[in-house]
Amino acid sequence: MTGCTADTDAARRTTPAAKAEATAPGRQLTYAQELRISDAEQHLITNCMRRQGFRFWEGKPLSLEESRPVGYVQDDVDWARSHGYGSRIMAKEDRARRDNPNIAYRKSLSRARRKAYDIAMDGGRDAVELKSRLPTGGTVTKLSGGCAGRAEKVLYGDPAAWFRSDTTVSNLRPLYVGKLLRDREFKSAIAAWSRCMSKAGRSFPDPDSARQSTREHSAEQTPAEEARTFANEVRIAVADATCARSVSLRPIGERREAHYIGDLTGKYGSALDAHRRVQEGALERAERIVPART
């Protein structure tokens, strides 16, 4: 929630200390490292589909900077000055999804070839059904086969074990996010952020309300309207990031979030450890397959 943002400045992100911390054993992967694994998976699928006699295009619509996740706390002033809260990036991503050449190519195939394409991609009836119990209850399933399944096997070794650990770790947040938002120290930091925003002429109770205020506009805008909307988004995002940094909101949030995640290690510690180990192994393989995104 608070820890999924990148370091606040380009200079901080490239220091030896920052790099060492990001790659130290037991540390979560950075978003750039996770993106490299995703790119490697796309590359493996592309090569596999071509070997099956189909065309396939790897999707890389965004740069590394544009791919940076924006968490609940955003304190990178430079990024905010360039991208606001990322509305133009999301629009770019939406256009890339809409204009995905793989969708158009599949539609252009005959019915028989389309069926063969689907089987090549995900295995069809021969695909293995993976299952995982969620920490919040219920079960999720996924079919694993074809080129997609082979790519996961190359990167993660055991797709079923990876699916179980990934779905578990990815769904832990609902177990602690309420406690974090009610945490006394974090709430105090949010209140300090809100006072800072008020002094800057922006009255919001929390970062989420600031971000949501920039989305209160028509879905269809003229270029001039979009430019004005984006300029307002940038102004609010810059004030938000400036205040977040001034009150140390992200470090406080990360520390308190780590505390509540720590409370879950008794029950989910093995899943967290397995998830990190498999991710680190996947990263090592991805580094041999694709270059880092720039």
Side-chain angles (χ1 to χ4, degrees):
M1 178 177 171
T2 59
C4 63
T5 55
D7 282 317
T8 54
D9 292 307
R12 279 184 59 190
R13 287 195 291 268
T14 55
T15 62
K19 289 180 179 179
E21 182 181 58
T23 56
R27 296 288 299 180
Q28 289 186 350
L29 298 192
T30 66
Y31 83 94
Q33 292 169 327
E34 291 184 344
L35 189 63
R36 194 165 185 178
I37 295 173
S38 176
D39 286 347
E41 188 170 350
Q42 279 283 298
H43 186 73
L44 289 167
I45 291 173
T46 298
N47 288 345
C48 178
M49 290 295 286
R50 289 176 178 170
R51 288 195 298 271
Q52 300 295 318
F54 297 101
R55 300 178 69 187
F56 197 82
W57 291 262
E58 296 178 39
K60 293 183 181 180
L62 305 181
S63 67
L64 179 62
E65 180 179 343
E66 291 171 331
S67 301
R68 208 207 83 165
V70 181
Y72 180 81
V73 177
Q74 205 299 93
D75 64 354
D76 190 327
V77 179
D78 292 338
W79 197 91
R81 192 172 286 117
S82 297
H83 304 290
Y85 288 117
S87 63
R88 285 182 172 175
I89 295 172
M90 288 185 283
K92 180 179 179 180
E93 204 168 20
D94 287 342
R95 288 193 298 271
R97 277 193 291 267
R98 185 188 63 226
D99 301 331
N100 187 336
N102 294 310
I103 295 175
Y105 172 70
R106 181 182 177 279
K107 287 182 178 179
S108 73
L109 299 174
S110 67
R111 180 177 295 181
R113 286 289 286 166
R114 196 178 305 152
K115 181 178 180 181
Y117 178 98
D118 293 342
I119 292 172
M121 172 60 74
D122 60 28
R125 293 182 178 179
D126 293 331
V128 176
E129 184 180 65
L130 308 181
K131 293 185 178 182
S132 179
R133 291 279 299 173
L134 295 177
T136 51
T139 301
V140 290
T141 62
K142 170 187 170 181
L143 295 177
S144 178
C147 290
R150 292 189 194 106
E152 287 191 337
K153 188 171 181 62
V154 169
L155 289 169
Y156 301 111
D158 183 346
W162 165 248
F163 181 64
R164 287 192 298 271
S165 68
D166 190 48
T167 52
T168 298
V169 172
S170 299
N171 286 278
L172 290 178
R173 187 173 298 170
L175 301 183
Y176 70 81
V177 67
K179 296 177 182 178
L180 176 60
L181 292 175
R182 294 189 299 272
D183 180 87
R184 182 179 300 177
E185 186 178 359
F186 188 56
K187 284 178 65 177
S188 177
I190 291 291
W193 173 91
S194 182
R195 290 192 296 272
C196 176
M197 289 291 282
S198 293
K199 291 178 182 177
R202 309 284 177 181
S203 181
F204 298 106
D206 54 53
D208 185 58
S209 60
R211 185 174 295 120
Q212 291 300 325
S213 74
T214 67
R215 298 171 182 168
E216 297 170 356
H217 55 76
S218 171
E220 297 295 330
Q221 300 183 92
T222 65
E225 289 171 336
E226 191 279 336
R228 287 193 295 271
T229 297
F230 184 69
N232 180 61
E233 175 186 333
V234 168
R235 286 191 292 269
I236 294 176
V238 167
D240 178 352
T242 301
C243 286
R245 177 179 290 195
S246 72
V247 302
S248 300
L249 183 57
R250 186 168 68 92
I252 292 171
E254 287 178 340
R255 186 172 66 252
R256 299 310 298 155
E257 184 175 30
H259 168 77
Y260 291 111
I261 292 175
D263 288 344
L264 300 174
T265 55
K267 186 172 183 179
Y268 299 105
S270 59
L272 287 163
D273 290 341
H275 190 262
R276 275 194 292 266
R277 285 196 306 273
V278 175
Q279 268 198 324
E280 288 165 359
L283 177 62
E284 289 180 6
R285 299 180 190 99
E287 289 171 342
R288 296 194 291 268
I289 297 170
V290 293
R293 195 180 297 194
T294 57

